Amino acid sequence: MANIVVVGAQWGDEGKGKIVDLLTENADVVARFQGGHNAGHTVKIKNREFILHLIPSGILHRGKTCIIGNGVVIDPRALIDEIEGLKRRNISFGKNFYISGRAHVIMPYHNVLDNMHEQAKGKKKIGTTGRGIGPAYVDKMSRAGIRMTDLLDTRGFREKLKANLTDINFLLVNKYKTKKISINKVYTEYMEYAEYLAPFITDTVVLANRLCEKGKNILFEGAQGTMLDIDHGTYPYVTSSSASAGGVCTGLGVSPRRLDGILGIVKAYTTRVGSGPFPTELHDKVGEELRLKGGEYGATTGRPRRCGWLDTVGLNHSISINGFTGIALTKLDVLDGFDKIKVCVAYKYKDPANSCSCSKKGRACRVTDFPQQVSVLDVCEPVYKELDGWKESTQGVTRMRDLPKQARAYIDYISETLNVQVDLVSTGQKRDQGIMINNPFTKAKKRR
């Protein structure tokens, strides 16, 4: 057996869906450990495109067990819509799909509060999807949350709902000057959801650990990316959960000793959705070209992504946190046709107060450790190394030797700079467009 974690190494949207779909061939189980339906994983199989928000990508494969763990927050309506949408496309649900009873539920008031909070911030908006994710995690941490298992206890659910809406309706009326939310309406609606989802709800901590003990290969699937992690990302411009490898243990209830490999998904350049600092962001024709060629629009919201060159300062931060045993480099083909390709190797920062100890007074210093202060990161300028680009197409290439030598040099440079092996290279959106250098499952078994 081997258990592999797949996490984004940047600000999300790195192409995790495709990589998870590819690796599922070697897995028995695919388990999602954090986030909500603010995530969007796009998978292309031949001429069919699937966009998944809550359901693990493994659902597209027959005979695979899929788990939504306790670290995920679930909008029942969104989940049911996703299940029904997949059923219409002949994807089966039954004993292959499980939902943690400990997973917290997104309620209608979470969506309302999410949007109200964002509007109140004005120019300082975080850039959330407005889908209630953050407020649901707030309730979880304040011990006012409602869990999936609560939906199966009709009396207890109504009591918790009434207690929550007493406070929330007061806030809606008196602060936000909007109408109350009806307890009866929400109760009736969520009881219908409970009836639909009840067959899938179970104790996934017991399930996941039993599957480990049986020697099953498990693929742990994350959403978003490390730079959006609530603890280690560019706070406060982050998501509301642990999007790094550590989230596996809390979000599924498995021991760190169960993890055999951690695969970091790295886009060949960098993108970001929403607000927040982004040192390598390009506001020119190159940035627009990356966006158009890469189809850089959110799978969940359709928002255009901000685009820039690869940032190894941020990636080294991700490597420290996650301990990647390998990298999957995605969207290499998007860089086809560029004369030169830049890679950020450091930041240049000038302290306004001239108090920085690493430089002479009044002069900018070179920063190689990712700053923990957003105010510092916001004014950092990238220091670039320029590499030769390539004019030949890499799209659909399946062997390293068939890549242009400059593309191979780019891959080697990334691996050497980050001191992590590149195990996979994606050369297109479809499942079969890519190069498997080292299979992470095989690699993990050899390491054990």
Side-chain angles (χ1 to χ4, degrees):
M1 63 167 262
N3 299 326
I4 303 296
V5 183
V6 172
V7 293
Q10 295 151 305
W11 279 289
D13 308 308
E14 300 95 347
K16 294 180 292 297
K18 175 188 171 174
I19 302 302
V20 170
D21 174 67
L22 182 65
L23 295 179
T24 298
E25 295 285 355
N26 301 107
D28 301 301
V29 182
V30 182
R32 169 85 178 270
F33 61 87
Q34 51 79 221
H37 65 307
N38 54 341
H41 289 172
T42 303
V43 179
K44 281 201 172 184
I45 304 172
K46 295 182 179 178
N47 295 320
R48 304 175 79 197
E49 181 178 87
F50 297 86
I51 298 177
L52 304 169
H53 299 282
L54 280 164
I55 299 169
S57 306
I59 202 68
L60 304 177
H61 296 249
R62 290 186 181 276
K64 308 297 180 180
T65 299
C66 293
I67 298 171
I68 296 179
N70 57 273
V72 179
V73 289
I74 298 172
D75 182 323
R77 178 73 266 166
L79 178 55
I80 292 169
D81 286 346
E82 193 169 333
I83 291 171
E84 287 299 308
L86 289 169
K87 281 183 175 180
R88 287 192 293 272
R89 301 180 72 178
N90 299 317
I91 304 299
S92 299
F93 285 81
K95 294 296 183 181
N96 62 332
F97 180 60
Y98 299 92
I99 303 166
S100 172
R102 294 181 174 89
H104 280 248
V105 181
I106 296 174
M107 304 298 295
Y109 47 81
H110 291 138
N111 299 70
V112 174
L113 291 173
D114 200 355
N115 286 287
M116 292 292 183
H117 290 162
E118 275 288 272
Q119 290 173 24
K121 289 184 175 75
K123 293 181 179 180
K124 295 184 178 180
K125 287 181 181 179
I126 301 297
T128 75
T129 58
R131 299 193 173 196
I133 311 298
Y137 277 114
V138 168
D139 274 4
K140 176 179 179 176
M141 293 304 175
S142 65
R143 297 176 292 280
I146 292 172
R147 305 191 299 172
M148 293 299 292
T149 190
D150 294 325
L151 297 183
L152 307 181
D153 174 10
T154 56
R155 184 175 178 180
F157 170 63
R158 189 176 183 90
E159 289 175 357
K160 289 184 177 183
L161 178 63
K162 183 178 179 180
N164 285 356
L165 279 179
T166 299
D167 292 336
I168 288 162
N169 278 333
F170 180 84
L171 182 67
L172 293 178
V173 171
N174 292 282
K175 180 176 180 179
Y176 294 116
K177 311 302 179 186
T178 189
K179 62 183 180 181
K180 292 182 179 180
I181 293 173
S182 166
I183 293 175
N184 289 335
K185 183 179 178 182
V186 174
Y187 176 80
T188 301
E189 180 184 350
Y190 274 66
M191 284 300 94
E192 291 176 2
Y193 300 155
E195 184 179 0
Y196 182 102
L197 295 171
F200 306 117
I201 298 172
T202 191
D203 188 336
T204 58
V205 172
V206 172
L207 175 63
N209 281 283
R210 281 181 180 166
L211 290 168
C212 285
E213 288 159 10
K214 288 179 179 178
K216 301 296 184 181
N217 286 346
I218 302 180
L219 190 58
F220 299 109
E221 177 184 26
Q224 288 91 34
T226 302
M227 305 307 290
L228 292 176
D229 185 278
I230 185 67
D231 287 298
H232 304 294
T234 49
Y235 190 89
Y237 302 98
V238 291
T239 194
S240 306
S241 57
S242 297
S244 52
V248 173
C249 303
T250 55
L252 278 163
V254 296
S255 165
R257 296 174 69 179
R258 302 275 197 198
L259 310 183
D260 300 304
I262 302 170
L263 185 69
I265 314 302
V266 177
K267 193 179 286 186
Y269 47 101
T270 311
T271 62
R272 169 161 208 169
V273 171
S275 305
F278 182 1
T280 66
E281 183 174 11
L282 298 169
H283 300 280
D284 56 13
K285 290 181 180 179
V286 174
E288 183 60 24
E289 187 175 353
L290 287 172
R291 183 179 299 111
L292 292 173
K293 289 177 67 177
E296 298 296 352
Y297 298 90
T300 299
T301 63
R303 288 184 294 180
R305 296 173 186 146
R306 300 155 63 190
C307 298
W309 295 118
L310 192 70
D311 183 347
T312 63
V313 181
L315 286 173
N316 276 313
H317 178 61
S318 289
I319 291 165
S320 296
I321 293 162
N322 292 291
F324 295 141
T325 54
I327 283 172
L329 187 68
T330 63
K331 292 200 169 185
L332 180 71
D333 55 301
V334 175
L335 297 181
D336 293 354
F338 285 98
D339 291 319
K340 296 291 182 181
I341 295 170
K342 294 182 180 180
V343 177
C344 174
V345 296
Y347 299 148
K348 190 164 58 175
Y349 171 68
K350 184 176 180 180
D351 185 359
N354 293 327
S355 59
C356 183
S357 60
C358 63
S359 67
K360 295 181 180 179
K361 186 175 180 180
R363 298 177 68 179
C365 61
R366 185 183 175 98
V367 177
T368 54
D369 292 326
F370 194 76
Q372 57 183 332
Q373 291 175 282
V374 169
S375 58
V376 172
L377 188 62
D378 210 25
V379 294
C380 281
E381 296 179 11
V383 177
Y384 287 119
K385 178 177 177 61
E386 195 171 76
L387 303 173
D388 290 331
W390 54 91
K391 294 297 183 181
E392 304 151 74
S393 174
T394 64
Q395 189 170 36
V397 172
T398 57
R399 300 182 300 182
M400 282 294 287
R401 66 174 177 266
D402 293 335
L403 289 174
K405 65 176 183 179
Q406 296 91 341
R408 295 198 303 272
Y410 184 63
I411 294 167
D412 289 342
Y413 177 79
I414 292 169
S415 180
E416 290 165 9
T417 301
L418 300 178
N419 196 29
V420 182
Q421 283 186 323
V422 174
D423 288 339
L424 293 93
V425 179
S426 174
T427 57
Q429 289 185 315
K430 295 180 181 178
R431 180 186 279 177
D432 59 354
Q433 292 180 318
I435 304 166
M436 180 77 76
I437 303 168
N438 298 298
N439 186 307
F441 280 100
T442 305
K443 186 177 172 181
K445 288 175 183 176
K446 288 179 179 178
R447 225 178 14 249
R448 293 185 72 170

